[in-house]
C-alpha cells in the first residue's frame, strides 16, 4: 500500500529565508482538528495567547498561563505536520529576566514540540531575544500593538501614528538585530509597516498592518466568524461559523422537543434472530 510522502516540517530558518519572497500564510490554532485544517494551507501555525479570549472567555490575554499554552500547544502539535508551530509566551513568563524567559521558553519547546516561541515587545526585549536565540530558541517578535501591554497602552489602539512611528521602527530594528527570525506587526499604519518591511532583513507578519508585509496572520476564530464578541477593523470574516452553529443548535433543540430526533435511522433494533456462530450481530450501522 502506498503511503503519502512524509512532509518536511518548516523551520524558523525556512521562514526567515522567505524574506521578500511569496507571502507567508499564518493563522492561529488551539486544537488538533483546527490545527490540521490550518496546517494544510499555512506556513506558520501560532498557538496564540489569544486562546484565553477566544476559547476561555477571558477579558484579555493577561491571565493566560504557561499550563494553558502547554495544553493547547500539545493539542496543536498533534495536528501540525508541515507548518512551523510557534507558541506564545504568556504574560509574566519572560519579561523580568532573560534567564526566566529561557527557562519558560525551553519548557514550552520541550513540552509541546514547537519550533519557536513568540514574545511581545521591541527594544526593551532585545536583550532577552538575543539570550534565547544564542541558546537555540528561535524567537518570533511582536511589536506595534502588544495586547499583553493593554493596560499600559490604555486600550487596543493603533500604534505608531505620526512621530510615534519612529518608536515602532526602532522596536522592529532592535528585534531584528537581536536575532528574531520574524516579527509580527500589529495594528500599525500601512505606510509604517511598508517602511519597516523595506528596512529590516527578517520577514514582517502583518495583522492590521499592510498587504505589503512579508506575511499575514489572523486569529482563526475571528476569520471563521466563530468569535464574535467584538470584531476589529482588520479582521475579515471568511466564514460565519457562529451563525451556522446557532442555526444547527436551534434545529436540534426544535427536533428534540418535537420528538423528531432521533429518527429511525439513528436508533438501534434488536440483533437479527439467526446469527452465524461467532458473529456479534450488532455492527453499529
Ligand atoms: O495571540 C495571538 O493570537 C497573536 C496574534 C494575533 C498575532 O499574538
Amino acid at each position: 500500500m502506498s503511503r503519502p510522502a512524509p512532509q518536511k516540517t518548516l523551520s524558523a530558518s525556512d521562514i526567515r529565508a522567505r524574506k521578500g519572497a511569496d507571502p507567508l500564510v499564518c493563522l492561529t490554532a488551539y486544537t488538533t482538528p483546527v490545527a490540521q485544517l490550518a496546517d494544510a494551507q499555512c506556513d506558520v501555525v501560532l498557538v496564540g495567547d489569544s486562546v484565553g479570549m477566544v476559547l476561555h472567555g477571558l477579558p484579555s490575554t493577561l491571565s493566560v498561563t504557561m499550563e494553558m499554552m502547554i495544553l493547547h500547544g500539545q493539542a496543536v502539535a498533534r495536528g501540525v505536520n508541515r507548518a512551523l508551530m510557534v507558541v506564545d509566551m504568556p504574560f509574566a513568563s519572560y519579561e523580568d529576566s532573560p534567564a526566566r524567559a529561557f527557562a519558560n521558553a525551553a519548557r514550552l519547546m520541550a513540552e509541546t514540540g514547537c519550533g519557536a516561541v513568540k514574545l511581545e515587545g521591541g527594544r526593551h526585549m532585545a536583550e532577552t531575544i538575543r539570550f534565547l536565540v544564542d541558546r537555540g530558541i528561535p524567537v518570533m517578535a511582536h511589536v506595534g500593538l502588544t495586547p499583553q501591554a493593554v493596560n499600559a497602552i490604555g486600550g487596543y489602539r493603533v500604534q505608531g501614528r505620526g512621530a510615534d512611528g519612529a518608536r515602532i521602527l526602532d522596536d522592529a530594528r532592535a528585534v531584528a538585530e537581536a536575532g528574531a527570525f520574524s516579527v509580527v506587526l500589529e495594528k500599525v499604519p500601512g505606510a509604517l509597516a511598508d517602511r519597516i518591511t523595506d528596512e529590516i532583513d527578517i520577514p514582517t507578519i502583518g495583522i492590521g498592518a499592510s498587504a505589503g508585509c512579508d506575511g499575514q496572520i489572523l486569529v482563526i476564530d475571528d476569520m471563521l466568524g466563530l468569535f464574535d464578541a467584538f470584531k476589529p477593523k482588520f479582521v475579515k470574516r471568511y466564514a460565519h461559523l457562529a451563525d451556522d452553529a446557532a442555526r444547527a443548535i436551534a434545529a436540534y433543540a426544535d427536533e428534540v422537543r418535537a420528538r423528531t430526533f432521533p429518527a429511525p435511522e439513528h436508533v438501534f433494533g434488536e440483533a437479527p434472530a439467526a446469527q452465524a456462530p461467532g458473529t456479534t450481530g450488532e455492527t453499529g450501522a
Side-chain angles (χ1 to χ4, degrees), residues 27-28 30 46-51 61 69 88 118 120 140 142 147-148 184 186 205 207 217-220 222 234:
L27 278 173
T28 69
Y30 319 108
L46 170 70
V47 187
D49 62 352
S50 49
V51 67
T61 55
M69 296 313 300
D88 253 343
K118 176 165 83 59
E120 296 183 7
M140 175 182 276
H142 184 156
Q148 293 175 6
V184 170
E186 179 163 354
I205 314 289
I207 174 164
I217 189 161
L218 282 176
V219 169
I220 197 155
D222 282 341
F234 58 73

Side-chain angles (χ1 to χ4, degrees), residues 2-222:
S2 72
R3 294 183 183 196
Q7 297 216 307
K8 179 187 178 300
T9 304
L10 294 173
S11 66
S13 329
D14 295 326
I15 300 300
R16 194 188 183 300
R18 296 267 296 272
K19 174 72 188 175
D22 51 319
L24 291 159
V25 181
C26 317
L27 278 173
T28 69
Y30 319 108
T31 63
T32 308
V34 172
Q36 284 167 335
L37 294 171
D39 187 55
Q41 296 292 336
C42 291
D43 301 299
V44 173
V45 173
L46 170 70
V47 187
D49 62 352
S50 49
V51 67
M53 296 175 77
V54 301
L55 285 200
H56 293 265
L58 296 170
S60 74
T61 55
L62 295 183
S63 42
V64 171
T65 62
M66 283 288 292
E67 286 66 33
M68 287 164 76
M69 296 313 300
I70 288 168
L71 193 66
H72 288 285
Q74 289 169 341
V76 168
R78 288 178 211 117
V80 169
N81 279 314
R82 177 188 165 273
L84 171 67
M85 176 178 144
V86 181
V87 176
D88 253 343
M89 298 200 70
F91 178 63
S93 71
Y94 63 94
E95 298 88 334
D96 59 349
S97 75
R100 188 165 138 78
F102 177 77
N104 281 320
R107 185 173 167 214
L108 287 177
M109 292 189 86
E111 295 190 30
T112 69
C114 66
V117 298
K118 176 165 83 59
L119 56 80
E120 296 183 7
R123 183 156 294 280
H124 69 288
M125 290 311 304
E127 183 193 347
T128 296
I129 292 171
R130 169 57 61 202
F131 192 88
L132 298 187
V133 172
D134 283 350
R135 285 157 184 78
I137 299 187
V139 177
M140 175 182 276
H142 184 156
V143 306
L145 174 63
T146 48
Q148 293 175 6
V150 61
N151 293 319
I153 295 170
Y156 297 96
R157 46 184 93 211
V158 178
Q159 299 293 302
R161 280 195 167 131
D164 192 35
R167 176 179 63 89
I168 307 295
L169 177 58
D170 181 61
D171 280 341
R173 283 187 184 135
V175 298
E177 280 160 16
F181 71 90
S182 63
V183 57
V184 170
L185 302 180
E186 179 163 354
K187 219 167 171 182
V188 297
L192 175 63
D194 289 345
R195 179 163 177 210
I196 293 171
T197 302
D198 280 349
E199 287 202 13
I200 66 174
D201 65 356
I202 58 171
T204 56
I205 314 289
I207 174 164
S210 164
C213 289
D214 297 297
Q216 302 295 326
I217 189 161
L218 282 176
V219 169
I220 197 155
D221 291 55
D222 282 341

